Amino acid sequence: MGFERTTILKMALGGGLVLIGGPALTYYVMPEPDELFKRYNPELQKRALAEREARIAAHAEFMHKLEKYSKSDKPIWQLAAEDQKRQRAEAAAERKRVRDELERQKQEILEEQRKIAS
């Protein structure tokens, strides 16, 4: 009976050591974000600072979309797929509009050249 208690006590102490010691070791070993940034070479630091606003804006947009998707009853991946399909359709329509506008301008230029040549 005494053997079982010591075994259980050892297991509990070992488990506690793993549960508390593991995250504590990770926290101790992991560098701070500022410390990592200081280790970058100067070119990477400049690029990271230049792209920071764009990353923040992209993340804010992603969170806004995620919040909008979460209000629906549909699964998020279905809403995201529908949104991507809608964005592709809008992009295709915009490309077509630009192509038509360029074609119209081209025709106008050709007509002006014909008038000048005549």
Side-chain angles (χ1 to χ4, degrees), residues 39-93:
R39 290 183 188 176
Y40 287 176
N41 68 29
E43 183 181 319
L44 281 176
Q45 286 181 357
K46 288 178 187 174
R47 191 175 348 150
L49 289 174
E51 296 173 355
R52 183 171 187 224
E53 294 298 323
R55 280 195 318 261
I56 290 172
H59 180 70
E61 181 182 342
F62 172 74
M63 293 305 290
H64 177 71
K65 283 183 180 181
L66 199 59
E67 183 179 319
K68 186 178 82 173
Y69 295 161
S70 68
K71 291 180 182 177
S72 176
D73 291 337
K74 291 182 179 180
I76 290 177
W77 57 88
Q78 285 181 351
L79 293 171
E82 290 172 1
D83 194 33
Q84 283 180 344
K85 192 182 291 185
R86 180 189 53 78
Q87 287 177 352
R88 284 189 201 120
E90 288 176 358

Tab-separated table of all heavy atoms in Angstrom, residues 39-93:
chain	number	residue	atom	x	y	z
A	39	ARG	N	18.084	42.077	-33.768
A	39	ARG	CA	19.001	41.122	-34.383
A	39	ARG	C	18.913	41.136	-35.912
A	39	ARG	O	19.801	40.606	-36.572
A	39	ARG	CB	18.711	39.708	-33.890
A	39	ARG	CG	19.086	39.479	-32.457
A	39	ARG	CD	18.843	38.036	-32.087
A	39	ARG	NE	19.032	37.832	-30.659
A	39	ARG	CZ	18.804	36.685	-30.058
A	39	ARG	NH1	18.393	35.638	-30.755
A	39	ARG	NH2	18.981	36.568	-28.759
A	40	TYR	N	17.849	41.719	-36.476
A	40	TYR	CA	17.733	41.815	-37.928
A	40	TYR	C	18.876	42.661	-38.471
A	40	TYR	O	19.356	43.575	-37.799
A	40	TYR	CB	16.434	42.504	-38.337
A	40	TYR	CG	15.157	41.736	-38.176
A	40	TYR	CD1	13.952	42.345	-38.454
A	40	TYR	CD2	15.126	40.426	-37.749
A	40	TYR	CE1	12.758	41.680	-38.319
A	40	TYR	CE2	13.946	39.743	-37.610
A	40	TYR	CZ	12.762	40.373	-37.897
A	40	TYR	OH	11.592	39.704	-37.759
A	41	ASN	N	19.239	42.409	-39.723
A	41	ASN	CA	20.215	43.317	-40.326
A	41	ASN	C	19.486	44.618	-40.675
A	41	ASN	O	18.257	44.651	-40.764
A	41	ASN	CB	20.931	42.678	-41.523
A	41	ASN	CG	20.025	42.442	-42.710
A	41	ASN	OD1	19.057	43.156	-42.925
A	41	ASN	ND2	20.356	41.445	-43.503
A	42	PRO	N	20.189	45.722	-40.853
A	42	PRO	CA	19.544	47.030	-41.063
A	42	PRO	C	18.576	47.064	-42.250
A	42	PRO	O	17.534	47.725	-42.185
A	42	PRO	CB	20.721	47.979	-41.297
A	42	PRO	CG	21.872	47.330	-40.611
A	42	PRO	CD	21.649	45.855	-40.742
A	43	GLU	N	18.914	46.345	-43.310
A	43	GLU	CA	18.024	46.333	-44.479
A	43	GLU	C	16.668	45.699	-44.134
A	43	GLU	O	15.615	46.213	-44.504
A	43	GLU	CB	18.687	45.559	-45.619
A	43	GLU	CG	17.875	45.550	-46.894
A	43	GLU	CD	18.577	44.752	-47.990
A	43	GLU	OE1	19.809	44.878	-48.112
A	43	GLU	OE2	17.876	44.022	-48.696
A	44	LEU	N	16.702	44.585	-43.408
A	44	LEU	CA	15.445	43.939	-42.998
A	44	LEU	C	14.664	44.811	-42.024
A	44	LEU	O	13.432	44.836	-42.065
A	44	LEU	CB	15.738	42.582	-42.361
A	44	LEU	CG	16.034	41.440	-43.300
A	44	LEU	CD1	16.388	40.182	-42.510
A	44	LEU	CD2	14.860	41.158	-44.201
A	45	GLN	N	15.368	45.521	-41.151
A	45	GLN	CA	14.677	46.418	-40.223
A	45	GLN	C	13.936	47.509	-40.986
A	45	GLN	O	12.772	47.797	-40.697
A	45	GLN	CB	15.673	47.056	-39.256
A	45	GLN	CG	16.193	46.121	-38.200
A	45	GLN	CD	17.164	46.798	-37.255
A	45	GLN	OE1	17.498	47.972	-37.427
A	45	GLN	NE2	17.628	46.057	-36.263
A	46	LYS	N	14.600	48.098	-41.982
A	46	LYS	CA	13.958	49.145	-42.781
A	46	LYS	C	12.740	48.600	-43.516
A	46	LYS	O	11.681	49.223	-43.550
A	46	LYS	CB	14.949	49.727	-43.785
A	46	LYS	CG	16.016	50.588	-43.169
A	46	LYS	CD	16.985	51.075	-44.211
A	46	LYS	CE	18.159	51.808	-43.583
A	46	LYS	NZ	19.168	52.170	-44.567
A	47	ARG	N	12.887	47.402	-44.105
A	47	ARG	CA	11.778	46.811	-44.852
A	47	ARG	C	10.614	46.481	-43.918
A	47	ARG	O	9.452	46.714	-44.247
A	47	ARG	CB	12.238	45.554	-45.576
A	47	ARG	CG	11.206	45.066	-46.551
A	47	ARG	CD	11.591	43.899	-47.405
A	47	ARG	NE	12.991	43.531	-47.402
A	47	ARG	CZ	13.418	42.296	-47.594
A	47	ARG	NH1	12.561	41.327	-47.799
A	47	ARG	NH2	14.692	42.012	-47.595
A	48	ALA	N	10.937	45.943	-42.742
A	48	ALA	CA	9.885	45.596	-41.783
A	48	ALA	C	9.140	46.841	-41.327
A	48	ALA	O	7.909	46.828	-41.204
A	48	ALA	CB	10.479	44.856	-40.587
A	49	LEU	N	9.869	47.913	-41.074
A	49	LEU	CA	9.219	49.159	-40.665
A	49	LEU	C	8.395	49.758	-41.796
A	49	LEU	O	7.309	50.300	-41.564
A	49	LEU	CB	10.256	50.173	-40.181
A	49	LEU	CG	10.910	49.845	-38.836
A	49	LEU	CD1	12.022	50.832	-38.547
A	49	LEU	CD2	9.888	49.846	-37.724
A	50	ALA	N	8.895	49.640	-43.031
A	50	ALA	CA	8.163	50.195	-44.177
A	50	ALA	C	6.877	49.421	-44.444
A	50	ALA	O	5.859	50.008	-44.815
A	50	ALA	CB	9.052	50.177	-45.413
A	51	GLU	N	6.913	48.121	-44.240
A	51	GLU	CA	5.745	47.287	-44.535
A	51	GLU	C	4.810	47.123	-43.335
A	51	GLU	O	3.770	46.477	-43.443
A	51	GLU	CB	6.207	45.907	-44.998
A	51	GLU	CG	6.967	45.934	-46.297
A	51	GLU	CD	7.566	44.587	-46.659
A	51	GLU	OE1	7.457	43.651	-45.848
A	51	GLU	OE2	8.153	44.482	-47.745
A	52	ARG	N	5.163	47.721	-42.217
A	52	ARG	CA	4.384	47.537	-40.991
A	52	ARG	C	2.945	48.025	-41.143
A	52	ARG	O	2.008	47.332	-40.767
A	52	ARG	CB	5.066	48.264	-39.839
A	52	ARG	CG	4.374	48.055	-38.529
A	52	ARG	CD	5.180	48.608	-37.389
A	52	ARG	NE	4.522	48.227	-36.147
A	52	ARG	CZ	4.344	49.042	-35.151
A	52	ARG	NH1	4.810	50.261	-35.205
A	52	ARG	NH2	3.717	48.630	-34.064
A	53	GLU	N	2.768	49.216	-41.690
A	53	GLU	CA	1.423	49.776	-41.839
A	53	GLU	C	0.562	48.896	-42.741
A	53	GLU	O	-0.622	48.684	-42.459
A	53	GLU	CB	1.501	51.203	-42.388
A	53	GLU	CG	2.145	52.188	-41.443
A	53	GLU	CD	1.378	52.331	-40.138
A	53	GLU	OE1	0.132	52.290	-40.160
A	53	GLU	OE2	2.038	52.479	-39.089
A	54	ALA	N	1.151	48.393	-43.817
A	54	ALA	CA	0.387	47.530	-44.726
A	54	ALA	C	-0.013	46.241	-44.024
A	54	ALA	O	-1.140	45.754	-44.192
A	54	ALA	CB	1.216	47.218	-45.970
A	55	ARG	N	0.891	45.672	-43.230
A	55	ARG	CA	0.566	44.439	-42.485
A	55	ARG	C	-0.534	44.691	-41.465
A	55	ARG	O	-1.447	43.877	-41.310
A	55	ARG	CB	1.809	43.900	-41.779
A	55	ARG	CG	2.740	43.125	-42.660
A	55	ARG	CD	3.735	42.335	-41.839
A	55	ARG	NE	4.266	43.086	-40.721
A	55	ARG	CZ	5.437	43.713	-40.702
A	55	ARG	NH1	6.213	43.670	-41.744
A	55	ARG	NH2	5.834	44.380	-39.633
A	56	ILE	N	-0.446	45.827	-40.782
A	56	ILE	CA	-1.470	46.162	-39.784
A	56	ILE	C	-2.825	46.346	-40.461
A	56	ILE	O	-3.855	45.870	-39.974
A	56	ILE	CB	-1.053	47.414	-38.984
A	56	ILE	CG1	0.129	47.078	-38.072
A	56	ILE	CG2	-2.219	47.963	-38.179
A	56	ILE	CD1	0.743	48.281	-37.387
A	57	ALA	N	-2.830	47.023	-41.609
A	57	ALA	CA	-4.085	47.241	-42.342
A	57	ALA	C	-4.656	45.919	-42.848
A	57	ALA	O	-5.869	45.693	-42.759
A	57	ALA	CB	-3.860	48.202	-43.502
A	58	ALA	N	-3.792	45.053	-43.363
A	58	ALA	CA	-4.258	43.756	-43.854
A	58	ALA	C	-4.823	42.918	-42.710
A	58	ALA	O	-5.854	42.250	-42.868
A	58	ALA	CB	-3.124	43.006	-44.538
A	59	HIS	N	-4.182	42.979	-41.560
A	59	HIS	CA	-4.679	42.221	-40.407
A	59	HIS	C	-6.027	42.781	-39.936
A	59	HIS	O	-6.937	42.010	-39.612
A	59	HIS	CB	-3.657	42.259	-39.270
A	59	HIS	CG	-4.088	41.514	-38.049
A	59	HIS	ND1	-4.182	40.144	-38.026
A	59	HIS	CD2	-4.482	41.939	-36.833
A	59	HIS	CE1	-4.597	39.764	-36.837
A	59	HIS	NE2	-4.790	40.836	-36.096
A	60	ALA	N	-6.142	44.094	-39.910
A	60	ALA	CA	-7.409	44.714	-39.498
A	60	ALA	C	-8.525	44.336	-40.470
A	60	ALA	O	-9.650	44.037	-40.048
A	60	ALA	CB	-7.253	46.228	-39.421
A	61	GLU	N	-8.218	44.322	-41.769
A	61	GLU	CA	-9.210	43.929	-42.765
A	61	GLU	C	-9.610	42.460	-42.576
A	61	GLU	O	-10.786	42.113	-42.648
A	61	GLU	CB	-8.646	44.134	-44.166
A	61	GLU	CG	-9.615	43.765	-45.266
A	61	GLU	CD	-8.994	43.935	-46.633
A	61	GLU	OE1	-7.981	44.639	-46.765
A	61	GLU	OE2	-9.544	43.347	-47.576
A	62	PHE	N	-8.607	41.606	-42.327
A	62	PHE	CA	-8.887	40.187	-42.087
A	62	PHE	C	-9.782	40.012	-40.867
A	62	PHE	O	-10.747	39.246	-40.906
A	62	PHE	CB	-7.566	39.434	-41.894
A	62	PHE	CG	-7.749	38.016	-41.443
A	62	PHE	CD1	-8.199	37.053	-42.324
A	62	PHE	CD2	-7.468	37.652	-40.140
A	62	PHE	CE1	-8.375	35.748	-41.921
A	62	PHE	CE2	-7.637	36.353	-39.717
A	62	PHE	CZ	-8.094	35.400	-40.606
A	63	MET	N	-9.494	40.716	-39.792
A	63	MET	CA	-10.307	40.602	-38.578
A	63	MET	C	-11.724	41.121	-38.820
A	63	MET	O	-12.696	40.553	-38.310
A	63	MET	CB	-9.641	41.368	-37.424
A	63	MET	CG	-8.334	40.759	-36.975
A	63	MET	SD	-8.462	39.022	-36.509
A	63	MET	CE	-9.388	39.146	-35.015
A	64	HIS	N	-11.847	42.191	-39.615
A	64	HIS	CA	-13.171	42.724	-39.937
A	64	HIS	C	-13.981	41.692	-40.725
A	64	HIS	O	-15.157	41.463	-40.440
A	64	HIS	CB	-13.033	44.017	-40.730
A	64	HIS	CG	-14.326	44.604	-41.171
A	64	HIS	ND1	-15.217	45.184	-40.293
A	64	HIS	CD2	-14.907	44.668	-42.389
A	64	HIS	CE1	-16.284	45.580	-40.958
A	64	HIS	NE2	-16.122	45.287	-42.231
A	65	LYS	N	-13.326	41.061	-41.717
A	65	LYS	CA	-14.012	40.027	-42.495
A	65	LYS	C	-14.396	38.848	-41.611
A	65	LYS	O	-15.498	38.314	-41.727
A	65	LYS	CB	-13.121	39.526	-43.631
A	65	LYS	CG	-13.031	40.449	-44.797
A	65	LYS	CD	-12.192	39.829	-45.882
A	65	LYS	CE	-12.079	40.721	-47.085
A	65	LYS	NZ	-11.273	40.113	-48.146
A	66	LEU	N	-13.498	38.453	-40.738
A	66	LEU	CA	-13.768	37.332	-39.846
A	66	LEU	C	-14.953	37.637	-38.938
A	66	LEU	O	-15.818	36.781	-38.717
A	66	LEU	CB	-12.519	37.030	-39.021
A	66	LEU	CG	-12.422	35.675	-38.381
A	66	LEU	CD1	-12.477	34.578	-39.434
A	66	LEU	CD2	-11.134	35.564	-37.587
A	67	GLU	N	-15.009	38.863	-38.450
A	67	GLU	CA	-16.126	39.269	-37.601
A	67	GLU	C	-17.437	39.254	-38.400
A	67	GLU	O	-18.472	38.802	-37.908
A	67	GLU	CB	-15.857	40.666	-37.052
A	67	GLU	CG	-16.906	41.171	-36.091
A	67	GLU	CD	-16.556	42.556	-35.567
A	67	GLU	OE1	-15.376	42.796	-35.268
A	67	GLU	OE2	-17.481	43.381	-35.461
A	68	LYS	N	-17.358	39.732	-39.649
A	68	LYS	CA	-18.552	39.744	-40.501
A	68	LYS	C	-19.009	38.314	-40.803
A	68	LYS	O	-20.195	38.011	-40.761
A	68	LYS	CB	-18.231	40.490	-41.800
A	68	LYS	CG	-19.413	40.691	-42.715
A	68	LYS	CD	-19.019	41.482	-43.939
A	68	LYS	CE	-18.388	40.536	-44.932
A	68	LYS	NZ	-18.108	41.144	-46.243
A	69	TYR	N	-18.040	37.434	-41.102
A	69	TYR	CA	-18.374	36.040	-41.394
A	69	TYR	C	-18.990	35.351	-40.181
A	69	TYR	O	-19.882	34.521	-40.313
A	69	TYR	CB	-17.133	35.249	-41.817
A	69	TYR	CG	-16.491	35.669	-43.109
A	69	TYR	CD1	-15.191	35.317	-43.386
A	69	TYR	CD2	-17.167	36.416	-44.063
A	69	TYR	CE1	-14.573	35.680	-44.566
A	69	TYR	CE2	-16.561	36.793	-45.244
A	69	TYR	CZ	-15.263	36.422	-45.491
A	69	TYR	OH	-14.653	36.781	-46.651
A	70	SER	N	-18.513	35.680	-38.994
A	70	SER	CA	-18.975	34.986	-37.796
A	70	SER	C	-20.420	35.337	-37.446
A	70	SER	O	-21.057	34.617	-36.678
A	70	SER	CB	-18.057	35.290	-36.618
A	70	SER	OG	-18.171	36.643	-36.243
A	71	LYS	N	-20.946	36.418	-38.002
A	71	LYS	CA	-22.335	36.801	-37.714
A	71	LYS	C	-23.336	35.946	-38.487
A	71	LYS	O	-24.510	35.935	-38.164
A	71	LYS	CB	-22.542	38.271	-38.049
A	71	LYS	CG	-21.799	39.194	-37.105
A	71	LYS	CD	-22.018	40.642	-37.465
A	71	LYS	CE	-21.230	41.533	-36.524
A	71	LYS	NZ	-21.353	42.945	-36.874
A	72	SER	N	-22.855	35.234	-39.497
A	72	SER	CA	-23.738	34.409	-40.319
A	72	SER	C	-23.890	33.014	-39.719
A	72	SER	O	-23.090	32.576	-38.900
A	72	SER	CB	-23.157	34.298	-41.729
A	72	SER	OG	-23.945	33.444	-42.511
A	73	ASP	N	-24.929	32.316	-40.166
A	73	ASP	CA	-25.161	30.947	-39.714
A	73	ASP	C	-24.329	29.942	-40.510
A	73	ASP	O	-24.139	28.818	-40.081
A	73	ASP	CB	-26.649	30.580	-39.846
A	73	ASP	CG	-27.506	31.352	-38.858
A	73	ASP	OD1	-26.955	31.796	-37.830
A	73	ASP	OD2	-28.710	31.512	-39.104
A	74	LYS	N	-23.836	30.373	-41.672
A	74	LYS	CA	-23.043	29.479	-42.513
A	74	LYS	C	-21.644	29.314	-41.929
A	74	LYS	O	-21.154	30.187	-41.213
A	74	LYS	CB	-22.921	30.043	-43.925
A	74	LYS	CG	-24.194	30.054	-44.718
A	74	LYS	CD	-23.903	30.590	-46.100
A	74	LYS	CE	-25.137	30.597	-46.972
A	74	LYS	NZ	-24.822	31.132	-48.304
A	75	PRO	N	-20.965	28.217	-42.274
A	75	PRO	CA	-19.570	28.062	-41.850
A	75	PRO	C	-18.686	29.139	-42.482
A	75	PRO	O	-18.935	29.587	-43.606
A	75	PRO	CB	-19.178	26.677	-42.374
A	75	PRO	CG	-20.460	25.960	-42.583
A	75	PRO	CD	-21.483	27.002	-42.919
A	76	ILE	N	-17.659	29.519	-41.770
A	76	ILE	CA	-16.788	30.603	-42.217
A	76	ILE	C	-16.136	30.280	-43.549
A	76	ILE	O	-16.008	31.146	-44.412
A	76	ILE	CB	-15.734	30.908	-41.131
A	76	ILE	CG1	-16.415	31.562	-39.936
A	76	ILE	CG2	-14.635	31.811	-41.661
A	76	ILE	CD1	-15.501	31.838	-38.771
A	77	TRP	N	-15.710	29.024	-43.753
A	77	TRP	CA	-15.011	28.690	-45.001
A	77	TRP	C	-15.935	28.819	-46.210
A	77	TRP	O	-15.480	29.165	-47.280
A	77	TRP	CB	-14.389	27.291	-44.930
A	77	TRP	CG	-15.341	26.197	-44.634
A	77	TRP	CD1	-16.077	25.481	-45.521
A	77	TRP	CD2	-15.668	25.686	-43.339
A	77	TRP	NE1	-16.845	24.562	-44.880
A	77	TRP	CE2	-16.617	24.661	-43.522
A	77	TRP	CE3	-15.258	25.994	-42.047
A	77	TRP	CZ2	-17.158	23.950	-42.469
A	77	TRP	CZ3	-15.807	25.273	-41.008
A	77	TRP	CH2	-16.732	24.270	-41.221
A	78	GLN	N	-17.238	28.556	-46.027
A	78	GLN	CA	-18.166	28.750	-47.143
A	78	GLN	C	-18.324	30.235	-47.457
A	78	GLN	O	-18.335	30.641	-48.623
A	78	GLN	CB	-19.525	28.141	-46.816
A	78	GLN	CG	-19.559	26.641	-46.883
A	78	GLN	CD	-20.944	26.090	-46.565
A	78	GLN	OE1	-21.835	26.832	-46.137
A	78	GLN	NE2	-21.115	24.795	-46.758
A	79	LEU	N	-18.437	31.050	-46.422
A	79	LEU	CA	-18.563	32.492	-46.628
A	79	LEU	C	-17.305	33.058	-47.270
A	79	LEU	O	-17.380	33.914	-48.159
A	79	LEU	CB	-18.835	33.194	-45.301
A	79	LEU	CG	-20.190	32.893	-44.667
A	79	LEU	CD1	-20.254	33.448	-43.269
A	79	LEU	CD2	-21.308	33.451	-45.514
A	80	ALA	N	-16.142	32.566	-46.844
A	80	ALA	CA	-14.887	33.036	-47.420
A	80	ALA	C	-14.807	32.649	-48.897
A	80	ALA	O	-14.369	33.450	-49.731
A	80	ALA	CB	-13.701	32.467	-46.654
A	81	ALA	N	-15.242	31.429	-49.230
A	81	ALA	CA	-15.224	30.996	-50.633
A	81	ALA	C	-16.172	31.843	-51.470
A	81	ALA	O	-15.831	32.245	-52.595
A	81	ALA	CB	-15.603	29.518	-50.726
A	82	GLU	N	-17.352	32.135	-50.940
A	82	GLU	CA	-18.301	32.983	-51.661
A	82	GLU	C	-17.725	34.390	-51.858
A	82	GLU	O	-17.877	34.991	-52.925
A	82	GLU	CB	-19.619	33.062	-50.895
A	82	GLU	CG	-20.404	31.770	-50.892
A	82	GLU	CD	-21.608	31.820	-49.964
A	82	GLU	OE1	-21.858	32.877	-49.332
A	82	GLU	OE2	-22.295	30.788	-49.853
A	83	ASP	N	-17.063	34.905	-50.818
A	83	ASP	CA	-16.475	36.231	-50.902
A	83	ASP	C	-15.346	36.259	-51.935
A	83	ASP	O	-15.239	37.215	-52.717
A	83	ASP	CB	-15.949	36.659	-49.535
A	83	ASP	CG	-15.637	38.138	-49.472
A	83	ASP	OD1	-16.347	38.924	-50.138
A	83	ASP	OD2	-14.685	38.506	-48.757
A	84	GLN	N	-14.530	35.219	-51.982
A	84	GLN	CA	-13.470	35.147	-52.984
A	84	GLN	C	-14.053	35.089	-54.392
A	84	GLN	O	-13.551	35.740	-55.307
A	84	GLN	CB	-12.590	33.918	-52.751
A	84	GLN	CG	-11.609	34.073	-51.622
A	84	GLN	CD	-10.773	32.825	-51.429
A	84	GLN	OE1	-11.106	31.751	-51.923
A	84	GLN	NE2	-9.687	32.960	-50.679
A	85	LYS	N	-15.127	34.317	-54.547
A	85	LYS	CA	-15.771	34.219	-55.860
A	85	LYS	C	-16.319	35.584	-56.276
A	85	LYS	O	-16.172	36.000	-57.432
A	85	LYS	CB	-16.903	33.191	-55.793
A	85	LYS	CG	-17.455	32.795	-57.148
A	85	LYS	CD	-18.604	31.814	-57.028
A	85	LYS	CE	-18.117	30.462	-56.539
A	85	LYS	NZ	-19.175	29.447	-56.517
A	86	ARG	N	-16.917	36.298	-55.331
A	86	ARG	CA	-17.458	37.626	-55.620
A	86	ARG	C	-16.330	38.593	-55.987
A	86	ARG	O	-16.439	39.359	-56.943
A	86	ARG	CB	-18.226	38.158	-54.405
A	86	ARG	CG	-18.835	39.538	-54.612
A	86	ARG	CD	-19.400	40.116	-53.329
A	86	ARG	NE	-18.463	40.134	-52.230
A	86	ARG	CZ	-17.477	41.043	-52.078
A	86	ARG	NH1	-17.316	41.981	-52.976
A	86	ARG	NH2	-16.673	41.001	-51.041
A	87	GLN	N	-15.211	38.526	-55.254
A	87	GLN	CA	-14.083	39.402	-55.552
A	87	GLN	C	-13.485	39.102	-56.922
A	87	GLN	O	-13.107	40.019	-57.653
A	87	GLN	CB	-13.006	39.267	-54.472
A	87	GLN	CG	-13.388	39.909	-53.167
A	87	GLN	CD	-12.337	39.690	-52.088
A	87	GLN	OE1	-11.395	38.933	-52.262
A	87	GLN	NE2	-12.519	40.362	-50.963
A	88	ARG	N	-13.413	37.821	-57.286
A	88	ARG	CA	-12.907	37.461	-58.613
A	88	ARG	C	-13.820	38.003	-59.702
A	88	ARG	O	-13.358	38.504	-60.730
A	88	ARG	CB	-12.786	35.944	-58.744
A	88	ARG	CG	-11.604	35.374	-58.038
A	88	ARG	CD	-11.415	33.899	-58.393
A	88	ARG	NE	-10.620	33.253	-57.387
A	88	ARG	CZ	-11.002	32.236	-56.641
A	88	ARG	NH1	-12.199	31.714	-56.799
A	88	ARG	NH2	-10.203	31.720	-55.742
A	89	ALA	N	-15.145	37.893	-59.483
A	89	ALA	CA	-16.101	38.405	-60.470
A	89	ALA	C	-15.966	39.921	-60.601
A	89	ALA	O	-15.992	40.464	-61.718
A	89	ALA	CB	-17.518	38.018	-60.070
A	90	GLU	N	-15.806	40.614	-59.474
A	90	GLU	CA	-15.634	42.068	-59.520
A	90	GLU	C	-14.340	42.441	-60.242
A	90	GLU	O	-14.320	43.387	-61.031
A	90	GLU	CB	-15.620	42.650	-58.099
A	90	GLU	CG	-16.970	42.650	-57.430
A	90	GLU	CD	-16.912	43.140	-56.000
A	90	GLU	OE1	-15.798	43.456	-55.504
A	90	GLU	OE2	-17.968	43.211	-55.360
A	91	ALA	N	-13.271	41.706	-59.985
A	91	ALA	CA	-11.989	41.981	-60.640
A	91	ALA	C	-12.100	41.734	-62.140
A	91	ALA	O	-11.568	42.513	-62.942
A	91	ALA	CB	-10.884	41.119	-60.034
A	92	ALA	N	-12.803	40.664	-62.529
A	92	ALA	CA	-12.976	40.374	-63.951
A	92	ALA	C	-13.808	41.474	-64.612
A	92	ALA	O	-13.496	41.906	-65.733
A	92	ALA	CB	-13.648	39.020	-64.136
A	93	ALA	N	-14.836	41.940	-63.929
A	93	ALA	CA	-15.660	43.024	-64.481
A	93	ALA	C	-14.834	44.304	-64.625
A	93	ALA	O	-14.957	45.028	-65.624
A	93	ALA	CB	-16.869	43.267	-63.582
